[in-house]
Amino acid sequence: MGIFSRSSASRKSKDGMKIIAAAFFGVTFGFLIGISFPSLSITKVNLPTKFLPSNDLSYVEEKGSAIATPDSHKSWSSSKSNDNSSSGPVDKSKIWVSSNPRGAERLPPGIVAAESDFYLRRLWGSPHEDLTSEPRYLVTFTVGIKQKQNIDACVKKFSENFTILLFHYDGRVTEWDEFEWSKTAIHVSVRKQTKWWYAKRFLHPDIVARYDYIFIWDEDLGVEHFNAEAYIKLVKKHGLEISQPGLEPNKGLTWQMTKRRGDLEVHKITEEKPGWCSDPHLPPCAAFVEIMAPVFSRDAWRCVWHMIQNDLVHGWGLDFALRRCAEPAHEKIGVVDSQWIIHQTVPSLGSQGEAVDGKAPWQGVRDRCKKEWTMFQSRMANAEKDYFRSLQVEGSSSSNSTATTI
């Protein structure tokens, strides 16, 4: 019995060694086979969707890749491990991006198109082939049919680097088609409105964001001595954010600041009548242009647009407030003398008014202009007072809070 027991134990020991050796050989062989083949990502295999969790598929679709890469597989694996370790899975059916433009917070940032332009596009073909040119500047005229020939002369002073936009206050648009340039211009027709009414509604800063400079001009300007490209070069050279061409001195001027000086390219300061300027760096002695033919940089226009009041359509008072949209204003606002224009003073807006209380139509329009100037000044003064008062209240609250804490 003793011999039998020892023989049985020896045989079991040998069997155990065989099992261990076989297991070791199998693991080693499997390892060698494994490293001899490239790694296989599950996302490379064309499996039916029922074999993959819906969350995984949505991740691959969101990545936008039809062919997986090792990096994308790592990201997928990492995403899964993070989901498992976090408090809960990400709800991919909901998006909220607070840095998106107001109203677009529910959109993924990559699809948000916050800006536009006036570039004309085709109705066919590929969108990226639509534009043969992208004008860098915009010029607008508020026009009636009686000034058709003058506007034709004006437009010819602007190169193809300008988008032409006409605001029609008399409703007559088709008559302009006799000019070849009119067929590619933008036409907006609303009867009996002013250029600042149009500007507030159709020249939002996000709409004109593609343009480096925006010209907002009247219809009664003589441009014989004006060239738009040369004007732009001077504006850039002298760092002007808000500007206008100099005005012909012999044509009834209101302000000395806008009078052309024959010996200068640009001027930014002038002398006015005694008592008119409380500060030589403030309007009307500096930081001042008129509203008949202003030119704005993109950044300056973004500020000015927000300052235009929705109900004050004539823009009177804006010229004295433009300095708030350029800093330092007495350096960034000026008059270009070597590219000058003539104000022909055609009373076109007067004819768009109505006779009230025995007053001629033009008189009613003029009375409205003066009233708006007073209203604008009052609103600006009150807005400033409210702002500085709010700062005092905040400062007082802050100091009280600090004292309580101490």
Side-chain angles (χ1 to χ4, degrees):
M1 288 294 294
I3 296 172
F4 178 78
S5 297
R6 287 194 296 272
S7 174
S8 175
S10 175
R11 187 163 54 252
K12 287 180 178 179
S13 177
K14 289 180 180 180
D15 291 339
M17 291 298 293
K18 287 180 180 179
I19 291 172
I20 292 172
F24 178 79
F25 177 79
V27 170
T28 303
F29 180 76
F31 175 77
L32 294 174
I33 291 296
I35 64 174
S36 65
F37 290 94
S39 61
L40 181 64
S41 168
I42 190 170
T43 54
K44 286 185 178 180
V45 181
N46 248 339
L47 293 178
T49 57
K50 65 181 180 180
F51 292 119
L52 292 175
S54 60
N55 284 347
D56 301 340
L57 285 176
S58 67
Y59 176 81
V60 173
E61 290 169 358
E62 285 179 9
K63 296 299 287 183
S65 174
I67 302 177
T69 64
D71 287 341
S72 67
H73 179 57
K74 290 177 184 176
S75 299
W76 178 80
S77 301
S78 174
S79 173
K80 288 302 295 175
S81 63
N82 289 339
D83 283 349
N84 292 334
S85 62
S86 63
S87 59
V90 176
D91 185 355
K92 295 179 180 176
S93 66
K94 295 181 179 179
I95 293 175
W96 185 265
V97 184
S98 59
S99 59
N100 278 357
R102 186 176 64 179
E105 294 88 353
R106 291 182 174 83
L107 298 177
I111 199 62
V112 174
E115 298 176 350
S116 187
D117 53 63
F118 289 114
Y119 300 157
L120 300 179
R121 292 185 174 273
R122 305 176 302 177
L123 306 184
W124 65 94
S126 179
H128 73 271
E129 296 176 347
D130 284 348
L131 304 179
T132 57
S133 65
E134 297 183 19
R136 295 176 57 193
Y137 315 118
L138 172 68
V139 58
T140 76
F141 296 96
T142 301
V143 303
I145 198 65
K146 293 180 179 179
Q147 293 297 313
K148 183 171 63 172
Q149 297 303 323
N150 191 62
I151 292 298
D152 178 50
C154 287
V155 168
K156 290 175 180 176
K157 293 291 185 173
F158 293 85
S159 70
E160 293 181 355
N161 215 10
F162 287 80
T163 293
I164 308 298
L165 170 56
L166 300 188
F167 296 125
H168 299 269
Y169 60 75
D170 61 356
R172 299 175 66 176
V173 178
T174 56
E175 291 95 327
W176 294 81
D177 282 347
E178 70 175 83
F179 305 121
E180 192 63 29
W181 56 262
S182 177
K183 298 174 184 177
T184 56
I186 309 298
H187 297 266
V188 176
S189 177
V190 184
R191 292 175 183 271
K192 296 191 175 184
Q193 299 302 321
T194 72
K195 73 175 182 181
W196 299 110
W197 184 93
Y198 293 111
K200 187 64 174 178
R201 288 150 182 82
F202 298 102
L203 299 181
H204 187 280
D206 289 341
I207 300 296
V208 299
R210 293 286 187 93
Y211 303 106
D212 296 340
Y213 293 94
I214 299 100
F215 293 59
I216 303 181
W217 281 20
D218 288 354
E219 63 180 337
D220 59 343
L221 303 176
V223 292
E224 181 181 351
H225 307 284
F226 179 83
N227 177 277
E229 290 286 352
Y231 183 92
I232 292 291
K233 290 179 180 178
L234 289 170
V235 164
K236 293 179 178 179
K237 175 181 176 181
H238 293 273
L240 299 180
E241 294 291 318
I242 301 175
S243 64
Q244 75 162 75
L247 294 177
E248 167 60 49
N250 299 322
K251 284 283 190 178
L253 293 174
T254 302
W255 309 105
Q256 291 297 311
M257 179 63 186
T258 54
K259 180 193 296 186
R260 179 179 73 93
R261 298 182 183 176
D263 58 340
L264 295 175
E265 284 186 338
V266 165
H267 73 269
K268 303 177 183 179
I269 194 168
T270 192
E271 291 185 2
E272 266 292 355
K273 297 175 183 178
W276 279 28
C277 298
S278 59
D279 186 320
H281 288 164
L282 292 180
C285 287
F288 178 80
V289 297
E290 296 188 63
I291 59 174
M292 72 179 72
V295 179
F296 303 97
S297 71
R298 180 192 298 109
D299 291 340
W301 176 245
R302 184 169 291 276
C303 172
V304 172
W305 184 89
H306 284 89
M307 188 168 58
I308 298 171
Q309 303 295 285
N310 200 54
D311 58 331
L312 305 184
V313 297
H314 289 288
W316 278 38
L318 273 179
D319 40 13
F320 279 79
L322 294 176
R323 62 186 178 85
R324 300 173 184 275
C325 292
E327 182 64 33
H330 65 280
E331 291 290 337
K332 299 294 184 180
I333 300 178
V335 175
V336 178
D337 297 290
S338 58
Q339 296 296 319
W340 49 286
I341 59 176
I342 299 173
H343 189 205
Q344 299 169 343
T345 60
V346 177
S348 54
L349 279 179
S351 63
Q352 300 300 306
E354 291 184 3
V356 179
D357 297 331
K359 293 182 179 180
W362 69 266
Q363 186 63 52
V365 172
R366 178 53 63 94
D367 290 346
R368 169 72 180 254
C369 289
K370 293 178 179 179
K371 183 182 296 185
E372 286 193 6
W373 191 354
T374 301
M375 293 173 69
F376 182 81
Q377 288 178 316
S378 177
R379 290 182 189 182
M380 181 63 76
N382 291 335
E384 279 193 336
K385 289 178 183 178
D386 291 343
Y387 171 73
F388 288 115
R389 188 181 298 117
S390 70
L391 291 184
Q392 292 175 351
V393 171
E394 290 177 4
S396 176
S397 300
S398 177
S399 61
N400 291 337
S401 175
T402 303
T404 302
T405 303
I406 293 173

